[in-house]
Amino acid sequence: MLRTYQYPEFPYSRSPDQDATLPVHHPVLIVGGGMVGLTMALDLRLKGIPAIVLEQGETVSDGSRSICQAKRTLEIWDRQGAATPMIGKGITWNIGRVRNRDQVLYSFDLLPEEGHKIPAFVNLQQYWVEEYLIDRLTQVGGEIRWQNKVTGITPAKDSVTIEVDTPEGPYALTCDYLIAADGARSQMRRELDLPFKGQVFNDKFLITDIEMKADFPSERWFWFDPEFNPGQSALLHRQADNVWRLDFQVGADADNEEEMKHENVIPRVKAMLGEQTPFELEWISVYTFQCRRLEQFRHGRVFFIGDAAHQVSPFGARGGNGGVQDADNLGWKLDLVLQGKAPDSLLDSYDEERIFASDENILNSTRSTDFLTPKTPVSRSFRDAVLSLAEECVFARPLVNSGRLSMPATLHNSTLNTLDEETFEGLMMPGAPAADAPIRFDGRAGWLLDHLGAGFKGLIFGAQGSVPARLDADGLSIDILTVGETGLQDVKGWITNRYDGQPGTFYLFRPDQHVVGRWRQFDEEKVLSALRRAVGKV
Amino acid sequence: MTESLELDSRIEQPDDFYEELIRLHDGLTEEQSRDVNTRLILILSNHIGDKNVLSEAFHLARKGV
Ligand SMILES: Cc1cc2nc3c(=O)[nH]c(=O)nc-3n(C[C@H](O)[C@H](O)[C@H](O)COP(=O)(O)OP(=O)(O)OC[C@H]3O[C@@H](n4cnc5c(N)ncnc54)[C@H](O)[C@@H]3O)c2cc1C
C-alpha cells in the first residue's frame, strides 16, 4: 500500500485459447508486461501486429523503481501516443548538482540547447509509467493476459511453444516469435539455460521514497561523503505527487532487515533533510546490482529484451531506458520480416545493435559504480583526490562520476548503416538517433520528430524539383520530406544546423528514427541501395 | 617565458582516461601501487619539464591534504 498511489487491479479473464484442443498460434507473444514488454506490445500493435502480453502479475511495478525517464525513451513513447500524460504527471528536470561533504562541486545541464519537444528527463515512478502504457495499449486494442505465468518454453525451427499457468490451470500456445521481457530474473533465460555474464557488485543501497511538501528544486542532488551519511554517497530526487527518492549507500555489510526498519530509516531521513522537515515514508527497499548481459539477445525465434537481456547499476538510469530502446529497435524489424518485406537476417541486426548499445550502458554504469564504490585502496585514493580537487580545479570535474545519465546509443558500425562518402559536421552520422528541432508546417508550429514518424523517411534540404515525394521498391516505401519553404520550414535554422543540411543534402531514416545514410545530393540508386542494406538485404 | 599550470580540462575522454588509470593498478599490492604512482610522477614531471609549472603543481597537490 502506498499513500500516494493506488495500485490498479487487472483481473484474470479466461481466454478462448484455453479451451482449444490444440495450442493456438499467434505471430508474436511477449512474456512479461513490465515497462519494456508493454512498450514492445504497443509498438507492434501500432504496426498492426496483434502481439499478446502474458503477465504473471495482476498489477503494475511493485515500487517506484525506474524513476528517471530519459528523452529518447519519452520520444519513443510520444510516437506511440503514450507520453503526454507521463510528461504532464512527471517532474521535468535537466540540472544535476554534485556535492562533496558540504561543498557544491559543480552542476551540470543535461539539455544545454533549446529546440527539442521532449525534455532531457522526466521523473515518474515506474508504476505510473506502466499504468499509462497499459491505458494506451488498451486504447489501441492490445491484449494483456493477467495472471498468465509462462512456465515452459520449447523453441523449434518453425515456431516456439510455451506453457502458461493460470488460476484455472495450464494451457499451451505457439508463436512465430517469442519476446522474453520477463525481467532481471528471467525464467525464459533460465529455461533455455543461457549464461549471463558480467560483474556482480556487493555494495548495498537503501532506497526510500518519502512524501513531503518541500521547496527543494527539481534537480538531481548527489552527495559524496555527506555529514549525514559519512564515507558513503546519497541522492535526492523528486518524483510526481510530492514523492521524493532518497538513496543512501549503506555498504556491503549492511543488514537488509535492519536497514529497512522504520526506526532506522526515519533518523537517516531526518539527518538528511533536517529535524523540522515533515515527511511520510512511502516505500523502502535495499538493493544491490549487477552489470551483465546475455552473450546473445537473439536465440532463433526467441528474443530477449530489457532486464531479461541485460542489467546495469541504477546510476545513470540506463536499465529501463535501455530496455525501451531494445523494443524500439526490434519492433520495425519484426514487422518487416513478418510481412515478408525483409529477410530473417534483419533480425540478427537486433542482436548486433542492441548488444553494442548494451555494452555502452554497461560500461558507463560500471564506471560510475567503480567511482562510487572504489574497490581498492588506490582506487579510493584517486577517487578522493579527484573529489578534493574538483571544487577548485575545473579539470577534475569531468572526472567526478556520480552517474552518466542515459543517452541513446549511436549505432556506429551497424551493418545496416551506409557509410558517408562526403564530409559532414555534427552528430547526425549514420546510426545516430535523429535529433529533434522545431518546424512550421502548413502554417502550424510542430516538431521534426513528429514528421519522421514510424516509417522509412527521406529528408531533403531545399526544394528539389527532381526529388520525388515517395520512393517505392520491393514493397517498401520511403516518404520524402522537404526542409524549406514548401515543406518543413526550419524556423530557427536548427534542422539545418543539427544535420549540417547544406542545400541538396539528403538523409534517409529508419522506422526507429536512426539515420541510415546521407548524401550531399539525392541519388535514387544510392538511396535504394541504402534502403536494401537497412533491411538486411545486402 | 614560463608557462603556468593548466587547470582547465584537457583530457578529451575523461571517463576513458580515468578507467585506464585505475586499471593500471589491477592486481597490484598497495606497495606496488605506490611504486607505480611514484614512477608515474617522475615520468610525467620530466614530460612537463617546466620547473615553474611543476612547483605550482606540487603546491596545489600539497595544499589539499
Ligand atoms: C532501485 C531501482 C532504481 C532504478 N532506477 C531506474 C531509472 O531511474 N531509470 C531506468 O531507466 N531504470 C531504472 N531502474 C531499472 C528498471 O527498473 C528496470 O531496468 C526495468 O524495470 C526493466 O524493465 P523490464 O520490463 O525489462 O523488466 P521488469 O520491469 O522487471 O518487468 C518484468 C515483468 O515480467 C513479469 N514476469 C516475470 N516472469 C514472468 C513469467 N514467467 N511469466 C509472465 N510474466 C513474467 C513480471 O511480473 C514483470 O511484470 C531501476 C531499478 C531499480 C531496482
Side-chain angles (χ1 to χ4, degrees):
Chain A
M1 259 302 285
L2 299 177
R3 294 170 52 86
T4 63
Y5 185 73
Q6 176 92 41
Y7 282 100
E9 272 177 44
F10 300 105
Y12 161 78
S13 92
R14 189 174 179 87
S15 155
D17 289 0
Q18 289 168 254
D19 300 318
T21 35
L22 285 175
V24 175
H25 187 81
H26 295 275
V28 181
L29 295 172
I30 300 171
V31 186
M35 63 188 281
V36 176
L38 291 168
T39 303
M40 187 78 247
L42 199 44
D43 195 64
L44 293 172
R45 181 75 226 173
L46 291 167
K47 291 178 161 76
I49 300 166
I52 296 170
V53 178
L54 302 156
E55 166 58 49
Q56 66 184 11
E58 52 194 326
T59 189
V60 291
S61 172
D62 181 15
S64 61
R65 293 164 72 210
S66 166
I67 62 166
C68 299
Q69 317 303 338
K71 180 169 185 289
R72 184 64 202 148
T73 301
L74 291 160
E75 286 169 353
I76 292 164
W77 288 333
D78 194 38
R79 205 183 64 220
Q80 298 177 340
T84 305
M86 298 181 191
I87 296 172
K89 179 87 189 167
I91 302 292
T92 293
W93 68 278
N94 51 2
I95 302 287
R97 239 172 256 285
V98 181
R99 293 174 155 81
N100 187 35
R101 305 233 168 84
D102 300 325
Q103 307 282 357
V104 176
L105 292 182
Y106 70 100
S107 55
F108 54 87
D109 186 342
L110 292 160
L111 192 60
E113 61 176 31
E114 300 170 72
H116 295 263
K117 178 179 182 184
I118 303 290
F121 277 93
V122 168
N123 278 8
L124 185 62
Q125 296 90 316
Q126 190 162 339
Y127 40 76
W128 276 118
V129 167
E130 291 181 6
E131 187 173 332
Y132 290 132
L133 289 172
I134 292 164
D135 284 350
R136 180 69 181 140
L137 187 58
T138 310
Q139 199 181 52
V140 297
E143 181 180 354
I144 307 172
R145 294 189 187 169
W146 301 99
Q147 294 188 59
N148 275 235
K149 182 180 168 67
V150 181
T151 54
I153 171 171
T154 317
K157 193 164 171 294
D158 299 323
S159 69
V160 181
T161 306
I162 57 170
E163 300 293 324
V164 187
D165 206 16
T166 76
E168 295 180 312
Y171 70 110
L173 291 169
T174 62
C175 57
D176 293 329
Y177 297 102
L178 184 86
I179 301 178
D182 52 345
R185 266 169 274 174
S186 174
Q187 188 165 350
M188 297 304 99
R189 196 176 64 218
R190 279 177 287 148
E191 293 286 327
L192 295 179
D193 198 19
L194 302 173
F196 204 45
K197 289 197 178 149
Q199 230 176 316
V200 177
F201 295 87
N202 300 321
D203 262 270
K204 291 182 180 169
F205 290 77
L206 170 76
I207 278 192
T208 162
D209 280 354
I210 60 167
E211 189 192 3
M212 96 175 147
K213 297 203 169 53
D215 47 11
F216 296 113
S218 302
E219 299 175 342
R220 178 185 194 261
W221 284 5
F222 194 96
W223 286 261
F224 288 99
D225 192 18
E227 236 171 65
F228 61 80
N229 198 21
Q232 312 271 28
S233 65
L235 178 76
L236 173 71
H237 219 171
R238 185 173 189 177
Q239 311 171 45
D241 295 330
N242 293 314
V243 174
W244 296 72
R245 163 72 56 85
L246 276 48
D247 196 322
F248 301 91
Q249 186 184 4
V250 291
D253 303 327
D255 175 339
N256 294 14
E257 300 257 311
E258 280 299 307
E259 289 295 342
M260 284 171 63
K261 285 185 180 158
H262 285 205
E263 68 218 56
N264 294 329
V265 175
I266 290 169
R268 278 190 182 280
V269 177
K270 285 191 168 166
M272 182 174 193
L273 303 173
E275 283 290 328
Q276 310 316 323
T277 313
F279 66 89
E280 298 287 342
L281 294 178
E282 177 78 330
W283 180 61
I284 302 171
S285 165
V286 170
Y287 68 92
T288 53
F289 44 80
Q290 291 97 49
C291 290
R292 53 182 180 174
R293 68 163 169 85
L294 283 173
E295 276 169 13
Q296 284 176 321
F297 296 174
R298 177 184 189 185
H299 292 266
R301 294 178 169 272
V302 181
F303 294 86
F304 287 83
I305 66 175
D307 276 14
H310 46 69
Q311 282 157 49
V312 292
S313 75
F315 314 107
R318 286 167 182 264
N321 287 305
V324 167
Q325 289 164 47
D326 292 343
D328 193 40
N329 189 288
L330 183 55
W332 67 273
K333 296 174 181 174
L334 268 181
D335 177 33
L336 293 182
V337 172
L338 280 165
Q339 287 189 62
K341 292 180 177 177
D344 176 84
S345 62
L346 177 60
L347 298 173
D348 290 335
S349 72
Y350 165 71
D351 203 68
E352 172 200 328
E353 294 186 336
R354 291 314 296 170
I355 281 178
F356 173 82
S358 164
D359 283 346
E360 193 171 287
N361 288 330
I362 288 174
L363 178 70
N364 276 290
S365 65
T366 304
R367 283 172 171 176
S368 304
T369 308
D370 284 338
F371 195 86
L372 294 175
T373 60
K375 300 289 165 303
T376 60
V378 66
S379 171
R380 172 166 285 270
S381 164
F382 272 116
R383 198 284 297 265
D384 292 345
V386 165
L387 291 174
S388 77
L389 284 165
E391 196 199 343
E392 186 175 352
C393 304
V394 174
F395 85 87
R397 291 174 204 166
L399 299 173
V400 176
N401 192 340
S402 73
R404 301 283 183 239
L405 287 149
S406 175
M407 295 283 290
T410 290
L411 305 166
H412 302 283
N413 310 325
S414 165
T415 49
L416 305 188
N417 296 347
T418 292
L419 297 181
D420 287 341
E421 292 169 1
E422 296 114 328
T423 47
F424 289 83
E425 297 293 318
L427 301 173
M428 291 298 105
M429 62 224 16
D436 204 2
I439 54 130
R440 270 191 95 72
F441 180 72
D442 231 0
R444 263 173 298 153
W447 298 96
L448 175 62
L449 289 190
D450 288 340
H451 287 264
L452 289 185
F456 280 101
K457 289 283 155 59
L459 194 67
I460 178 87
F461 287 83
Q464 295 282 312
S466 58
V467 179
R470 184 183 154 126
L471 280 179
D472 292 286
D474 313 339
L476 298 165
S477 64
I478 305 172
D479 286 319
I480 298 177
L481 311 167
T482 305
V483 180
E485 280 312 306
T486 59
L488 306 176
Q489 288 166 280
D490 190 10
V491 279
K492 301 257 185 181
W494 288 338
I495 311 183
T496 305
N497 182 269
R498 287 171 192 167
Y499 288 82
D500 186 12
Q502 295 165 23
T505 299
F506 184 90
Y507 274 77
L508 177 61
F509 296 94
R510 333 195 302 197
D512 60 1
Q513 302 181 335
H514 282 253
V515 175
V516 171
R518 52 188 179 170
W519 301 266
R520 284 301 182 193
Q521 60 188 30
F522 176 75
D523 178 331
E524 186 170 325
E525 278 302 299
K526 286 185 178 172
V527 173
L528 290 179
S529 136
L531 177 67
R532 279 193 291 275
R533 175 176 283 278
V535 298
K537 286 189 179 167
V538 177
Chain B
M1 209 195 84
T2 64
E3 310 254 330
S4 66
L5 182 66
E6 183 63 69
L7 293 177
D8 281 343
S9 180
R10 287 152 56 90
I11 295 173
E12 253 180 39
Q13 305 281 351
D15 288 350
D16 289 353
F17 154 73
Y18 192 78
E19 183 177 351
E20 198 175 337
L21 178 65
I22 301 302
R23 280 269 165 91
L24 175 64
H25 294 273
D26 277 358
L28 301 185
T29 63
E30 275 190 75
E31 202 168 317
Q32 287 169 323
S33 273
R34 199 167 55 230
D35 291 348
V36 167
N37 282 337
T38 309
R39 287 161 59 88
L40 192 59
I41 291 166
L42 295 174
I43 294 165
L44 294 176
S45 295
N46 178 60
H47 182 84
I48 292 161
D50 186 319
K51 191 171 163 304
N52 288 325
V53 172
L54 289 168
S55 299
E56 266 188 77
F58 293 162
H59 177 74
L60 176 64
R62 170 89 193 220
K63 194 173 81 171
V65 174

